[in-house]
Amino acid sequence: MVPAGREELRDRLAAALDLAGDGRDGDAAGQSYLAAMEGLLADAEAFGDPEVLFGVRVVYANALRFKAWENEPREVDAEALAVLRTCLLMWHAEPHRFDGVDVGNMWTEFHRVVDRYIRHAPEPAGQVSRLIDELERRCPPDRPHARYALGELRVRLEARRGNAAEAERLWRLQLARGPAREHLRPDMVAALDASMWARLGRHDLAVAALAPVLNGRIPTGGEPHEVRLLMPYLHTGRAAEAVAAHRRTWARTGMMFDELAAHMEFCARTGNEERGLDVLHRNFDCVAFSFRAVEGMWAMAAVALLCLRASAKGLDREVCVPCYCGGLDEDCDWLPLLTYAKLAKQLRWAALDHAEHLGELDGTPHLFEAVDALLFAEPVPERPELGPGPDVASSGRTAVPPSPHLRDADAAGLRAALRRARAPEPGRPRIMRTQRVVHGATAGGFADVVVAARFALLNDMLLDGFESWRLDLFAAVDELFRLRDERPDLFGAGRTDVLWRALPTMAERVLARPGPLLRQVRDLLDRAERHCRPGTEDLHRVRWFRAEAAARTGDAAALRAAWAEFRELPEAGRYARRAAVLRRARWWIDVGCDEEAFAVLGPLVADGDEREDLLLMPYLRAGLVERAREAHERTYATASGAPEVAAHLMYCAETGEPERGAEIILRTLDLLDVPDHDEFPFDRLELTAAAVRVSEAVAATGLDRTWTWTYPDEPDQPDEPDWSFARLADDCRVTLRLYARRWDEIAGTSVHTRAAADAVGDPVGGRG
């Protein structure tokens, strides 16, 4: 007789499995499934029947995946692994006692957990490899399908490490065994193989991996797996097939990370950025990427590439992206206004950070280098026409959905919401609430409210302490000038004056530190020039910053032309002041026009101005060695800004005075501190290269020593001991390699980064 308790437990287990359905992490069905299994596990343990308990534990391990929203995935996976190990020990002790289906499910769950360790919530490669070893030792030869699943995990792990040769060896062993018949879906294995080989640059193997699916030998569940072959097709000379695959799959929503990444890279590298933006808008929920998943990392990098290319083509716009809480989360702080350029910046650094983290787990820089290569991937020779697709409006690029967080969507309600939004002190919450009003007013077509709210945002962006919001400030000014074109009736003299007073602050910030592309800055200046007011200095402002933008590209001819246009204007006193003169001199020095720099600074030098030190390297290049020495001796002790400190360090490096250079470095260490990825100022390029030159010279002459890096202006920042000039040189080289290339993107040339690279003998720059 089977005890009644056993039947009851089995019935409850079947009912719990029905609850799971197709539930996703965090949804109601999944939570009900987990709750039912928690109660059932407790009762099964109390009942004590090993066979029932084994089956319940296996299913409980499956249910734990719905706990990931409440706990760290690492903790959840560790709990699931512990439960499964207990099951494995029970099975090994009495291998014939337990139901074959339950044993098979145990191996499926082992694969799921280890797969998460490899692809979704990565753990150190060495630990994962040892775990697979352990499972293989305990998996007998009469479980070939389980051994196949474990082999598939090894292939994925070696690919993550960048061990292409070993991954191929293991993959071919799998082909000899396969395809999978239990634990895995054969079509998904083939699809993952295709993406894996594409990322490793083996496009021939990517096509071969998916061939059995595309020719019908392996059935599918209807998923468009061929999207993973977009780039492999291009690289293997099958552009027509790539275009056909794109046309069949691009209009979908709810894409997987791999699918989205494939379309993003394909559109970005074939010159079809507008189509790529349509794909992105159909799948904007992927903006909330999983910052753990390896596939999410690749998708982040591909979206960043697409958005950067779109910005470079003048397609950047501020768009409304509603949050995904549906207005249910009162603490939601999602910023609904987003430019493609800002999205590119955010996802670029998120992808590189994740790749660097994975590199630490794997002990190899492979993923970091591969992601970096994708971010800088060049266009392919083919420029296929993708043809018409579904109505663009349906993609969301032109249709703005209502804001889920605004109760009143009419004009009066939005005006009231704007007043409430401005009540808090300046900061992110106020910006977020004001952006929601812009979102709601844009969706409702209330242009007057849009303009009022955008001017409110502009006011926030101009405040001191908001310098890091450069892209938002640029977008605020850019959108207001666009609105000025569309609705001039909404711009009186007062608003127009505010906008023109904002332009210099915006330009100062975005030209000094990484921000929008110079192409975008020039486009905005062209748009602004159409609205210059007679009798004002508006045109002076436009042409001044146009000249500075030319200097940033390193184009001497463009700078000369821009400066000639500025000189056509009536004299304006502010541009003859000392600060403006020094700034203009730096432009000429930056583009290698020493004679123009001498002419600009001549009057100040004649008066004994200490910023004559900006001319140290031009003096040396002109053979004025004694004049350079006198200027250096007179000014090195008080030099404090990045341009003049860089000049002194370069002078020390060129004239063989490393001890003097070391003294300057230790006095100005704060200039070499880079607090954030996107806070690497333009004037740090030469300074960082000069620091490398001096630091390596100090180390080479045997004068190196250790010291502590302190942060007197940052009391919360702990001191960092054990610094040396050798360490500083290495650190600055890394900084140049990683951050200088951002200026390549911004300028569209690598003139300045090549100069930094030449100074330190390192290939820093990446774009011509």
Side-chain angles (χ1 to χ4, degrees):
M1 287 287 294
V2 177
R6 174 182 291 186
E7 288 297 335
E8 178 186 345
L9 291 171
R10 292 191 184 279
D11 289 343
R12 287 170 59 189
L13 180 59
L17 287 169
D18 288 339
L19 284 174
D22 295 323
R24 294 171 296 175
D25 291 359
D27 70 3
Q31 294 304 306
S32 297
Y33 172 41
L34 175 60
M37 287 308 305
E38 287 173 337
L40 184 54
L41 178 62
D43 290 344
E45 287 175 340
F47 183 66
D49 182 272
E51 296 173 33
V52 173
L53 182 57
F54 182 91
V56 169
R57 280 176 171 162
V58 169
V59 178
Y60 175 70
N62 175 272
L64 280 171
R65 73 185 191 273
F66 296 106
K67 207 173 183 179
W69 287 97
E70 300 174 4
N71 298 282
E72 274 290 314
R74 187 172 188 174
E75 298 175 6
V76 176
D77 292 336
E79 183 179 355
L81 184 60
V83 171
L84 291 171
R85 273 182 163 141
T86 300
C87 293
L88 185 61
L89 293 175
M90 292 174 66
W91 178 57
H92 261 271
E94 300 180 273
H96 303 294
R97 179 167 189 171
F98 302 105
D99 183 81
V101 173
D102 290 340
V103 174
N105 288 339
M106 175 188 71
W107 286 109
T108 299
E109 290 306 311
F110 268 124
H111 180 276
R112 184 182 63 79
V113 172
V114 180
D115 184 55
R116 280 180 56 78
Y117 285 157
I118 296 172
R119 299 192 301 122
H120 301 293
E123 291 290 334
Q127 293 181 22
V128 178
S129 182
R130 289 191 291 274
L131 174 57
I132 298 173
D133 289 343
E134 175 192 344
L135 294 175
E136 283 187 335
R137 285 195 301 271
R138 295 180 180 276
C139 185
D142 62 358
R143 308 288 312 182
H145 304 305
R147 297 181 73 85
Y148 179 96
L150 295 174
E152 192 264 352
L153 293 171
R154 282 204 186 279
V155 174
R156 300 281 169 256
L157 185 61
E158 293 305 321
R160 193 182 90 180
R161 287 168 155 171
N163 296 335
E166 179 63 8
E168 182 178 358
R169 185 186 72 80
L170 294 171
W171 179 67
R172 293 193 182 281
L173 288 176
Q174 291 291 97
L175 292 181
R177 292 173 174 171
R181 294 181 179 83
E182 291 182 21
H183 313 301
L184 305 168
R185 277 180 48 185
D187 62 316
M188 284 306 303
V189 172
L192 291 173
D193 286 344
S195 292
M196 174 188 74
W197 289 124
R199 290 171 187 157
L200 289 171
R202 293 298 306 275
H203 301 290
D204 55 333
L205 295 184
V207 174
L210 207 52
V213 174
L214 299 183
N215 64 26
R217 285 191 289 128
I218 294 179
T220 74
E223 291 86 348
H225 294 315
E226 62 182 337
V227 69
R228 299 165 189 264
L229 297 183
L230 292 178
M231 294 309 298
Y233 277 153
L234 284 182
H235 284 292
T236 54
R238 301 165 66 174
E241 291 172 81
V243 171
H246 169 79
R247 287 175 177 171
R248 286 191 290 267
T249 59
W250 79 271
R252 297 173 59 248
T253 59
M255 289 185 183
M256 299 172 64
F257 288 143
D258 282 352
E259 296 165 359
L260 181 65
H263 278 298
M264 294 293 95
E265 183 180 0
F266 175 78
C267 291
R269 298 185 66 186
T270 59
N272 290 285
E273 290 84 1
E274 289 204 59
R275 174 62 62 79
L277 293 176
D278 290 341
V279 177
L280 177 60
H281 276 267
R282 293 173 184 274
N283 296 274
F284 237 135
D285 55 333
C286 280
V287 171
F289 288 96
S290 166
F291 288 91
R292 296 178 181 274
V294 177
E295 285 87 352
M297 173 191 69
W298 287 107
M300 284 187 275
V303 172
L305 175 67
L306 185 279
C307 289
L308 180 66
R309 290 285 167 79
S311 299
K313 279 195 170 182
L315 299 175
D316 191 32
R317 286 300 303 271
E318 193 169 62
V319 294
C320 299
V321 184
C323 67
Y324 305 105
C325 77
L328 301 176
D329 184 359
E330 294 183 0
D331 297 324
C332 176
D333 65 349
W334 176 264
L335 296 172
L337 300 186
L338 187 67
T339 64
Y340 302 128
K342 183 176 181 179
L343 182 59
K345 182 199 79 168
Q346 292 174 342
L347 296 183
R348 165 204 182 88
W349 294 119
L352 285 174
D353 281 347
H354 192 32
E356 185 175 34
H357 170 66
L358 286 169
E360 294 170 355
L361 297 182
D362 295 347
T364 170
H366 161 70
L367 282 176
F368 185 91
E369 292 170 354
V371 168
D372 185 66
L374 175 56
L375 289 165
F376 282 89
E378 296 293 337
V380 295
E382 295 83 358
R383 287 293 184 274
E385 291 292 331
L386 301 185
D391 181 12
V392 171
S394 66
S395 74
R397 284 180 65 196
T398 57
V400 180
S403 170
H405 288 281
L406 294 178
R407 296 188 301 272
D408 301 314
D410 61 352
L414 289 168
R415 292 190 190 97
L418 180 58
R419 289 192 295 272
R420 292 193 298 271
R422 307 306 295 169
E425 291 296 313
R428 182 186 171 95
R430 187 164 88 174
I431 292 170
M432 176 264 294
R433 291 183 175 91
T434 307
Q435 285 195 6
R436 287 177 181 172
V437 176
V438 174
H439 181 180
T442 302
F446 303 111
D448 59 329
V449 183
V450 171
V451 171
R454 285 200 177 277
F455 268 105
L457 284 174
L458 179 62
N459 179 66
D460 282 337
M461 297 298 115
L462 292 170
L463 295 173
D464 292 338
F466 285 78
E467 289 80 6
S468 63
W469 294 69
R470 290 181 299 281
L471 282 164
D472 300 86
L473 174 58
F474 177 84
V477 174
D478 190 41
E479 291 295 334
L480 284 169
F481 270 112
R482 290 179 191 274
L483 288 166
R484 179 72 177 77
D485 280 334
E486 298 167 6
R487 292 295 304 271
D489 56 303
L490 297 176
F491 287 74
R495 281 181 169 173
T496 301
D497 186 61
V498 169
L499 188 54
W500 275 105
R501 282 190 283 111
L503 184 74
T505 301
M506 179 277 296
E508 295 271 2
R509 291 182 184 177
V510 303
L511 291 173
R513 293 175 182 266
L517 306 184
L518 289 182
R519 154 74 186 267
Q520 298 173 263
V521 175
R522 289 193 295 266
D523 287 348
L524 172 55
L525 293 174
D526 291 344
R527 191 175 300 113
E529 186 168 352
R530 298 196 295 268
H531 300 290
C532 288
R533 298 165 296 175
T536 69
E537 291 187 5
D538 293 350
L539 191 54
H540 289 78
R541 294 179 177 123
V542 168
R543 292 188 178 178
W544 175 268
F545 288 113
R546 193 175 280 140
E548 180 153 321
R552 288 290 181 269
T553 66
D555 189 335
L559 176 56
R560 288 192 179 97
W563 185 245
E565 287 188 348
F566 183 88
R567 291 286 300 276
E568 293 172 356
L569 301 175
E571 289 191 10
R574 76 174 68 215
Y575 299 102
R577 296 171 187 164
R578 177 176 180 269
V581 171
L582 293 175
R583 184 169 184 160
R584 183 155 48 96
R586 292 202 301 272
W587 298 346
W588 294 115
I589 295 170
D590 287 343
V591 299
C593 295
D594 293 347
E595 291 299 324
E596 285 88 342
F598 291 147
V600 169
L601 280 179
L604 294 182
V605 170
D607 291 339
D609 194 292
E610 62 182 2
R611 288 291 72 79
E612 184 183 3
D613 51 14
L614 294 174
L615 297 175
L616 288 174
M617 294 309 294
Y619 281 159
L620 290 182
R621 287 191 289 265
L624 302 173
V625 178
E626 186 57 29
R627 192 165 182 178
R629 188 196 63 77
E630 187 280 327
H632 168 71
E633 292 293 342
R634 176 166 52 87
T635 60
Y636 84 89
T638 57
S640 59
E644 59 265 28
V645 171
H648 283 287
L649 292 180
M650 279 297 187
Y651 173 86
C652 292
E654 290 291 329
T655 59
E657 299 185 38
E659 290 182 86
R660 172 66 57 78
E663 176 187 341
I664 297 171
I665 285 176
L666 292 177
R667 183 172 53 78
T668 59
L669 273 176
D670 59 308
L671 295 176
L672 295 173
D673 179 35
V674 182
D676 185 66
H677 288 316
D678 231 38
E679 293 297 319
F680 185 70
F682 179 81
D683 60 15
R684 299 304 195 271
L685 277 169
E686 185 182 16
L687 174 64
T688 307
V692 171
R693 291 280 304 277
V694 168
S695 297
E696 290 183 342
V698 171
T701 54
L703 300 173
D704 205 355
R705 58 190 184 278
T706 59
W707 35 272
T708 297
W709 197 325
T710 61
Y711 300 85
D713 297 329
E714 301 178 53
D716 295 333
Q717 178 75 15
D719 293 347
E720 297 182 29
D722 301 324
W723 275 89
S724 67
F725 286 100
R727 178 183 173 186
L728 181 64
D730 291 341
D731 186 76
C732 287
R733 280 188 180 275
V734 171
T735 296
L736 279 175
R737 291 192 192 104
L738 184 59
Y739 300 155
R741 297 181 74 184
R742 182 79 170 99
W743 284 105
D744 287 354
E745 293 177 345
I746 292 166
T749 71
S750 59
V751 173
H752 297 299
T753 50
R754 276 204 306 268
D758 291 344
V760 300
D762 204 7
V764 174
R767 296 171 74 89

